[in-house]
Amino acid sequence: MGFFTKLKEKIFNKNKTEKQKEVQNKYISGLDKSRKNFVDKLAELKSRYNKVDEEYFEELEQILILSDVGVQTALNIVEATRQEVKLKNISDPGLINEILVDKMFIAYANNDVVDTELNLSDDLSIVMVVGVNGVGKTTSIAKLCHRYKNKGMKVLLAAGDTFRAGAVSQLQIWANRVGVDIVVGKENSDPSSVIYDAVNKAKNEHYDLLICDTAGRVQTKQNLMDELAKMNRIITKVSGHAANDVLLIIDATTGQNGVLQAKAFFDAVHVSGIVLTKMDSTSKGGIILAIKDELNIPVKFVCFGEQLDDIEEFDLDNYLYGLTKGMEENQ
């Protein structure tokens, strides 16, 4: 039994909790634009072919690439689909989609455990949040604070983006709204000094989780990377360990540019997970597959809107169902 069949069995399981149903519906509604783009193109492709041939697979590659799956990922998925079609001697285009979804699942999972949990410790956990300006970093931090406060954790926020005008005040507004404490410095002050003070406060006052905002822009890219590396060293020196997680915020609407942005951060910090924002605003939801293939970093959270609750741990099953729901009707 293929993944797509198992997926439908899981999705339509009548024993799901209300919370599971709520999360599933978030994925379905949040991926609406991407799903229409992807499923409609597959249906149109099938309507033009009576049987599968090489031209069919070339067009299938283009559909995946235009969904921002990434060129190499698209080639790998289509080649794996082509091989299984050949092995099973399938010629009907209507039978291809289920195989395609199976290969998309394999392309992401790649025999790994899909890790979406933060690497939290028993005492103080520290999370650095990095990303360029404009990707939704501030609101993502607020959502993370809200999420983990609701889990019963004592959360502290460090306003380390001191270079951007208004960044600190925006974060203070969110901290007040969420109800978490915040450490701030003066505008244009040394970001690392804010991190230093925050780590000491978190240790001395027994916080469970410290979330550190970081600079999204300084004079040059090298300055930015040097500042992030300095922050990371401060965390290690003061707390006795490196940040438990370094989350990189990527705007889903930027597509492949977001993948390129991500690579720029790797020299400064060890990025451990991705938070993908604005999923509800993009028609190219395949970016999640490209991120995993090109960066080999898991997507840990996805954001579907502007409300504090509009953030969920990434769920591969819900993602693929949200992206392909209704596809079976076109088979």
Side-chain angles (χ1 to χ4, degrees):
M1 182 166 56
F3 166 76
F4 191 55
T5 303
K6 294 178 183 177
L7 174 61
K8 287 187 287 185
E9 288 184 357
K10 177 179 178 180
I11 292 297
F12 293 111
N13 182 357
K14 295 180 180 180
N15 295 321
K16 285 198 300 289
T17 65
E18 288 304 313
K19 176 60 178 175
Q20 288 171 327
K21 292 177 184 177
E22 178 187 332
V23 171
Q24 179 184 309
N25 288 333
K26 279 187 180 181
Y27 273 88
I28 292 171
S29 60
L31 287 163
D32 184 60
K33 290 182 179 178
S34 293
R35 178 173 59 255
K36 287 177 179 176
N37 179 49
F38 186 58
V39 172
D40 287 353
K41 286 180 178 176
L42 287 177
E44 193 272 334
L45 176 64
K46 190 201 75 168
S47 70
R48 290 188 287 106
Y49 285 85
N50 294 320
K51 66 177 184 177
V52 176
D53 58 19
E54 194 55 37
E55 286 187 7
Y56 175 92
F57 285 116
E58 288 177 3
E59 291 199 44
L60 185 58
E61 285 175 4
Q62 287 302 309
I63 290 173
L64 290 174
I65 291 170
L66 291 172
S67 295
D68 255 341
V69 166
V71 175
Q72 191 56 54
T73 314
L75 293 175
N76 293 343
I77 290 171
V78 172
E79 179 57 28
T81 303
R82 182 191 282 111
Q83 291 301 321
E84 183 157 340
V85 166
K86 183 178 179 181
L87 181 67
K88 294 183 176 178
N89 197 28
I90 295 172
S91 61
D92 181 359
L95 302 177
I96 302 296
N97 288 345
E98 185 165 340
I99 297 173
L100 177 67
V101 178
D102 286 349
K103 302 311 177 188
M104 291 168 68
F105 172 83
I106 293 169
Y108 189 94
N110 197 24
N111 298 320
D112 294 334
V113 175
V114 180
D115 178 22
T116 59
E117 294 285 345
L118 288 184
N119 184 31
L120 301 177
S121 50
D122 292 333
D123 50 2
L124 173 62
S125 299
I126 302 175
V127 175
M128 284 182 71
V129 182
V130 302
V132 300
N133 289 340
V135 295
K137 183 157 60 77
T138 304
T139 52
S140 295
I141 288 170
K143 290 173 183 178
L144 288 169
C145 288
H146 178 70
R147 183 180 185 87
Y148 285 95
K149 182 193 175 192
N150 285 349
K151 288 179 179 287
M153 301 181 75
K154 186 180 181 183
V155 180
L156 179 65
L157 182 54
D161 190 356
T162 60
F163 293 128
R164 181 168 66 89
V168 173
S169 59
Q170 288 173 15
L171 211 56
Q172 284 180 298
I173 291 170
W174 278 114
N176 291 334
R177 188 178 300 177
V178 174
V180 298
D181 297 327
I182 184 170
V183 174
V184 302
K186 295 180 180 179
E187 194 169 294
N188 295 319
S189 63
D190 180 4
S192 293
S193 68
V194 177
I195 302 302
Y196 179 88
D197 291 342
V199 176
N200 273 312
K201 178 179 176 66
K203 284 177 60 181
N204 295 335
E205 299 181 24
H206 308 291
Y207 283 84
D208 300 306
L209 177 63
L210 168 62
I211 298 179
C212 302
D213 188 17
T214 63
R217 177 182 61 81
V218 290
Q219 292 86 344
T220 69
K221 187 174 79 171
Q222 189 57 52
N223 289 145
L224 171 59
M225 297 309 149
D226 290 346
E227 191 61 58
L228 291 176
K230 181 181 176 183
M231 288 179 172
N232 205 24
R233 291 194 299 271
I234 291 290
I235 288 172
T236 302
K237 182 178 180 180
V238 179
S239 72
H241 62 82
N244 297 69
D245 270 297
V246 178
L247 299 179
L248 174 63
I249 312 298
I250 295 180
D251 179 345
T253 65
T254 62
Q256 291 296 307
N257 285 335
V259 177
L260 295 175
Q261 285 175 9
K263 292 178 179 178
F265 284 86
F266 288 8
D267 292 337
V269 289
H270 175 68
V271 177
S272 57
I274 303 294
V275 179
L276 202 58
T277 65
K278 308 177 189 178
M279 279 299 294
D280 56 317
S281 299
T282 183
S283 61
K284 299 182 177 182
I287 185 65
I288 287 179
L289 298 176
I291 287 170
K292 183 61 164 57
D293 186 63
E294 296 185 38
L295 305 178
N296 197 29
I297 296 173
V299 174
K300 293 208 171 190
F301 295 95
V302 288
C303 300
F304 295 112
E306 296 302 317
Q307 301 302 313
L308 284 170
D309 288 328
D310 290 336
I311 183 171
E312 294 295 339
E313 287 185 15
F314 176 64
D315 184 291
L316 182 56
D317 291 349
N318 275 325
Y319 163 67
L320 287 175
Y321 182 71
L323 188 63
T324 62
K325 181 178 181 290
M327 190 176 69
E328 66 275 11
E329 297 170 7
N330 296 317
Q331 290 181 337

